[in-house]
Amino acid sequence: ATGKVLQVVSATKTDTQTTSTATFVDVSGLSLSITPSSASNKIFLVCDINIDASGRYFGIRFVRDSTDIGIGDAESNRTRVTVSSQSNDSASYDDYVMHNSSASFLDTPNTTSATTYKIQAGKHYDTASNLYINRPAYDDDNTYIARGISTLTACEIAG
């Protein structure tokens, strides 16, 4: 029946990741492969990620194989992302907390071949700063510092 969930595949990242590059990078552990049973079926993606930066303005995007999907339209110099978060490094204690971002997207891959979905994260301002996954920018060894998890889930939906 149309709309029925046929399969669910998920990935969970419990460790931390730090990057200092000014480009979007793969988030290790947030990649999965799903093989649709019909080319008319859709893949519903859900991501929940804990992210922070030592500077400001960072975001995530969905990627199918090597193609960015579920991102905003191109407009001059603006960065195309699925969802953007802001760390305000001028606010007191902001760098001691992770910023939770969630996103979903209904993809139509039009294939019955194994398809890889992944999450990329990157900074689109203050490129000299670091980007952190599952930890805050300040990582003091104290009980007020938290560690989080991030997840990516793909559901095949009958078309």
Side-chain angles (χ1 to χ4, degrees):
T2 300
K4 180 178 178 181
V5 176
L6 302 176
Q7 65 173 313
V8 178
V9 179
S10 65
T12 301
K13 178 177 181 62
T14 59
D15 61 342
T16 64
Q17 181 174 339
T18 302
T19 181
S20 60
T21 64
T23 60
F24 278 72
V25 297
D26 294 351
V27 177
S28 64
L30 289 188
S31 175
L32 55 82
S33 179
I34 189 167
T35 305
S37 56
S38 169
S40 63
N41 292 347
K42 299 182 183 307
I43 305 296
F44 182 62
L45 299 168
V46 179
C47 175
D48 187 67
I49 190 168
N50 283 293
I51 189 170
D52 196 18
S54 56
R56 291 183 283 175
Y57 309 117
F58 46 89
I60 65 165
R61 60 188 181 198
F62 288 116
V63 178
R64 180 199 329 114
D65 295 324
S66 60
T67 303
D68 300 339
I69 59 171
I71 58 175
D73 290 344
E75 180 66 34
S76 188
N77 293 316
R78 291 156 182 85
T79 303
R80 301 174 71 193
V81 297
T82 302
V83 67
S84 179
S85 295
Q86 176 184 354
S87 172
N88 187 350
D89 55 39
S90 64
S92 297
Y93 306 112
D94 187 66
D95 284 338
Y96 289 91
V97 296
M98 295 173 287
H99 298 262
N100 182 269
S101 292
S102 297
S104 61
F105 181 68
L106 186 62
D107 187 37
T108 307
N110 293 314
T111 186
T112 56
S113 298
T115 304
T116 299
Y117 289 97
K118 62 185 175 182
I119 297 298
Q120 289 188 333
K123 302 169 289 179
H124 48 99
Y125 182 77
D126 193 11
T127 55
S129 66
N130 289 326
L131 182 72
Y132 306 97
I133 307 295
N134 289 343
R135 57 156 279 197
Y138 292 153
D139 199 30
D140 300 342
D141 188 14
N142 284 294
T143 57
Y144 55 82
I145 299 297
R147 287 285 198 266
I149 69 167
S150 297
T151 60
L152 173 63
T153 303
C155 304
E156 180 184 6
I157 309 295

